[in-house]
């Protein structure tokens, strides 16, 4: 059972279009991170949001953390082929077996932006 | 500033063998977490090391074990390899065990035949 549900799973759009990726859970997270991953490489951190209702902008990317800290969205304006990749959301939780702060990931959204 | 590095990049093993993967944390980071990412899935938390001790563990059997060294580098050991262990193994470092923002290395691709 996936604790974090991402949608859509796959998205193929034309250059210049806008898109939104959603990350939903029934659990409350202390933080929410978004990563982008290229094939065969590790995830690269895009943003961390920690406050319910928080909105962060990174150039053409807008990230929002839900008021209840259970969901998040990533909106990309005027997508470019360089935005192509796997977008992963990850919620921060305390591990039951210790004091570690673990990340629990969604299964990702594979975005393809066609020129 | 040096980022997270991992070695080797690729590895092929047969069922029943043992494997050791290595990770060097980002400069100034004292906490290392390990994740397993199967094809088409998000990473899954294996365990975390802080001050050379295991600080928390996900739902992985005891044949997955690790170490952290005084310089904060870390190893992941997997005994009695199974076919389902084939995956990308990711190491992530964070400034401190209380911080949730983690920075990932490029991963080690393990194939078990």
């Amino acid at each position: 059972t996936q604790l974090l549900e991402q949608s859509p799973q796959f998205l193929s759009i034309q250059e210049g279009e806008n898109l939104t990726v959603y990350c939903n859970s029934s659990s409350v997270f202390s933080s929410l991170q978004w990563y982008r991953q290229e094939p065969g490489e590790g995830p690269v951190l895009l943003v961390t949001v920690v406050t319910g209702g928080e909105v962060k902008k990174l150039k053409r990317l807008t990230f929002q953390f839900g008021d209840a800290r259970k969901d998040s969205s990533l909106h990309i304006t005027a997508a470019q082929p360089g935005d192509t990749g796997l977008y992963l959301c990850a919620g921060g939780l305390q591990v039951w077996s210790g004091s570690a702060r673990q990340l629990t990931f969604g299964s990702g959204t594979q975005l393809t932006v066609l020129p | 500033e040096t980022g997270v590095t991992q070695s080797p990049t690729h590895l092929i093993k047969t069922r029943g063998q043992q494997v050791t993967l290595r990770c060097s944390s980002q400069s100034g980071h004292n906490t290392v977490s390990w994740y397993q990412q199967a094809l088409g899935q998000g990473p899954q938390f294996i365990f975390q090391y802080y001050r050379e001790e295991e600080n928390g563990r996900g739902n992985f059997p005891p044949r997955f074990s690790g170490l952290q060294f005084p310089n904060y580098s870390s190893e992941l050991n997997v005994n009695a390899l199974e076919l389902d262990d084939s995956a990308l193994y990711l190491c992530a470092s964070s400034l401190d065990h209380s911080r949730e923002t983690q920075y990932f290395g490029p991963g080690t691709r393990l194939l078990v035949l």
Side-chain angles (χ1 to χ4, degrees):
Chain A
T1 303
Q2 202 77 26
L3 195 59
L4 268 173
E5 298 288 340
Q6 273 189 251
S7 62
Q9 191 176 355
F10 298 95
L11 191 54
S12 181
I13 61 171
Q14 293 293 135
E15 183 176 1
E17 292 183 351
N18 302 332
L19 67 113
T20 302
V21 176
Y22 298 94
C23 179
N24 295 294
S25 177
S26 57
S27 299
V28 176
F29 296 102
S30 47
S31 72
L32 204 295
Q33 348 249 323
W34 284 91
Y35 291 84
R36 191 175 92 181
Q37 187 176 22
E38 303 289 341
E41 298 182 9
V44 174
L45 179 69
L46 297 174
V47 78
T48 300
V49 285
V50 297
T51 306
E54 183 176 1
V55 176
K56 279 193 176 178
K57 292 192 175 183
L58 186 67
K59 297 183 181 177
R60 293 176 296 100
L61 277 60
T62 301
F63 304 87
Q64 185 162 7
F65 200 12
D67 291 341
R69 291 186 288 132
K70 293 183 180 181
D71 55 84
S72 181
S73 64
L74 158 60
H75 182 78
I76 301 179
T77 304
Q80 299 176 0
D83 296 327
T84 294
L86 179 69
Y87 287 83
L88 293 160
C89 65
L93 289 172
Q94 182 155 350
V95 179
W96 67 271
S97 62
S99 63
R101 309 296 302 189
Q102 72 166 93
L103 294 179
T104 186
F105 281 83
S107 55
T109 294
Q110 181 61 52
L111 172 65
T112 303
V113 182
L114 303 168
Chain B
E1 184 180 274
T2 307
V4 179
T5 60
Q6 292 186 243
S7 63
T9 56
H10 296 83
L11 206 48
I12 300 175
K13 292 285 188 178
T14 56
R15 200 169 43 181
Q17 285 189 310
Q18 177 265 341
V19 69
T20 298
L21 312 181
R22 295 178 176 82
C23 169
S24 290
S25 62
Q26 186 166 317
S27 176
H29 289 191
N30 62 21
T31 300
V32 172
S33 301
W34 286 91
Y35 292 80
Q36 180 195 67
Q37 186 177 22
L39 207 59
Q41 299 293 319
Q44 295 212 359
F45 176 71
I46 302 175
F47 44 54
Q48 183 182 91
Y49 275 82
Y50 169 65
R51 290 186 176 177
E52 302 175 53
E53 297 281 336
E54 187 180 290
N55 190 40
R57 189 176 186 94
N59 190 26
F60 281 80
R63 59 189 186 85
F64 286 78
S65 63
L67 285 173
Q68 187 180 32
F69 301 99
N71 66 354
Y72 307 130
S73 66
S74 177
E75 287 182 355
L76 164 65
N77 299 290
V78 187
N79 294 321
L81 283 166
E82 300 177 359
L83 298 180
D84 284 349
D85 295 333
S86 295
L88 181 68
Y89 287 86
L90 295 162
C91 166
S93 74
S94 49
L95 201 57
D96 184 77
H97 73 288
S98 63
R99 304 290 186 102
E100 292 173 355
T101 298
Q102 299 181 8
Y103 299 88
F104 284 81
T108 294
R109 174 70 65 186
L110 172 64
L111 178 60
V112 182
L113 301 175

